[in-house]
Amino acid sequence: FLPTRPGPPLAVAKQRTKYTMKTVLATRAVEIPEGVEVEVGSRVIKVKGPLGELKREFKHISMDIRITGGDVVEKGDPEKTYVKVDLWFANRKQLACVRTICSHIQNMFVGVTQSFRYKMRFVYSHFPINVTLSGQNVEIRNFLGEKRVRKVALMPGVKYERSADTKDEIVLTGIDIANVSLTAAKIQQATNVRHKDLRKFLDGIYVSEKGAIPVE
């Protein structure tokens, strides 16, 4: 007879030796550009710049957000200020939030200094798409020859323009990248082709160019 294995069963032993590795401290910093004022309190960030003011809450993530000098930041300039994000004892999924938060803060800085612009082009093979602005609603007519008028509400702070030098193009601008991109997504989704072969019916309004407006 083989000797029995001493101790608890193998399944119980595996459960006891299951560990989750955590990082003691994960930190990143975002440089505050000139001419931008930042207020941080209770994971609520307010950014004020030449083009406007933005506010965003990050209360759903347990991390430290504060304004520090460059002497505290690794490879930082002592003459500049930074928004520093610290996350203690985080697992792998929580570590991904650090860079995400810094990206949101960086987009806020770009928005109040340059603003964002999304260009959208009309694509049609036979029936010309007619797009107009009525109040705060973008109205889309004659899509695939339909009589129904599609209406898309502009998000707060988003401006609508009809391109003067390019045919069948509209331009959406604003300082909040979330509102500008969401408005563009709603316009594109309003012209989704249904119950037809999408390889053949390519009609719609699509984003052709996006990004921050360059500083002149």
Side-chain angles (χ1 to χ4, degrees):
F1 296 97
L2 294 176
T4 58
R5 182 178 180 274
L10 184 60
V12 177
K14 286 185 177 180
Q15 290 178 359
R16 291 181 180 177
T17 58
K18 185 178 181 180
Y19 300 105
T20 301
M21 190 183 77
K22 292 189 176 183
T23 305
V24 177
L25 174 62
T27 179
R28 291 184 74 93
V30 183
E31 180 184 335
I32 301 177
E34 296 182 2
V36 176
E37 300 177 4
V38 182
E39 296 181 11
V40 179
S42 301
R43 296 199 290 273
V44 178
I45 299 180
K46 296 180 181 179
V47 178
K48 187 176 182 181
L51 300 180
E53 184 175 351
L54 291 174
K55 176 184 176 183
R56 188 145 192 176
E57 296 184 2
F58 301 105
K59 291 182 178 291
H60 60 288
I61 301 175
S62 298
M63 58 174 55
D64 297 332
I65 305 176
R66 62 182 185 274
I67 300 175
T68 60
D71 51 348
V72 182
V73 179
E74 182 180 358
K75 299 181 181 180
D77 190 348
E79 298 181 356
K80 298 182 179 179
T81 54
Y82 296 80
V83 176
K84 190 178 180 183
V85 179
D86 295 333
L87 184 59
W88 296 84
F89 301 104
N91 56 30
R92 186 176 179 183
K93 287 187 177 181
Q94 292 169 335
L95 284 175
C97 298
V98 177
R99 187 181 178 91
T100 301
I101 297 299
C102 291
S103 298
H104 286 315
I105 297 173
Q106 182 66 39
N107 285 334
M108 294 173 71
F109 292 160
V110 175
V112 297
T113 54
Q114 299 176 242
S115 77
F116 294 94
R117 176 173 58 199
Y118 276 58
K119 294 183 179 180
M120 307 189 73
R121 296 290 301 271
F122 308 161
V123 177
Y124 53 87
S125 59
H126 182 70
F127 296 101
I129 302 175
N130 183 18
V131 179
T132 57
L133 181 66
S134 177
Q136 289 297 314
N137 293 328
V138 177
E139 296 185 352
I140 304 170
R141 291 181 171 85
N142 201 37
F143 176 69
L144 293 178
E146 296 178 4
K147 298 295 184 181
R148 182 167 72 91
V149 179
R150 293 165 167 82
K151 297 182 180 180
V152 178
L154 292 177
M155 299 293 290
V158 179
K159 296 180 181 179
Y160 167 96
E161 294 180 4
R162 191 69 183 254
S163 182
D165 53 350
T166 305
K167 182 186 177 184
D168 295 335
E169 183 181 69
I170 59 176
V171 181
L172 303 174
T173 56
I175 63 174
D176 192 345
I177 188 174
N179 288 348
V180 178
S181 59
L182 186 59
T183 303
K186 287 184 176 180
I187 293 176
Q188 179 174 339
Q189 290 175 356
T191 57
N192 282 345
V193 178
R194 303 185 185 279
H195 312 300
K196 290 182 175 64
D197 188 357
L198 300 181
R199 297 168 296 179
K200 178 68 175 176
F201 293 87
L202 302 176
D203 296 34
I205 304 176
Y206 302 98
V207 175
S208 61
E209 183 182 336
K210 61 182 180 180
I213 299 178
V215 179
E216 298 179 357

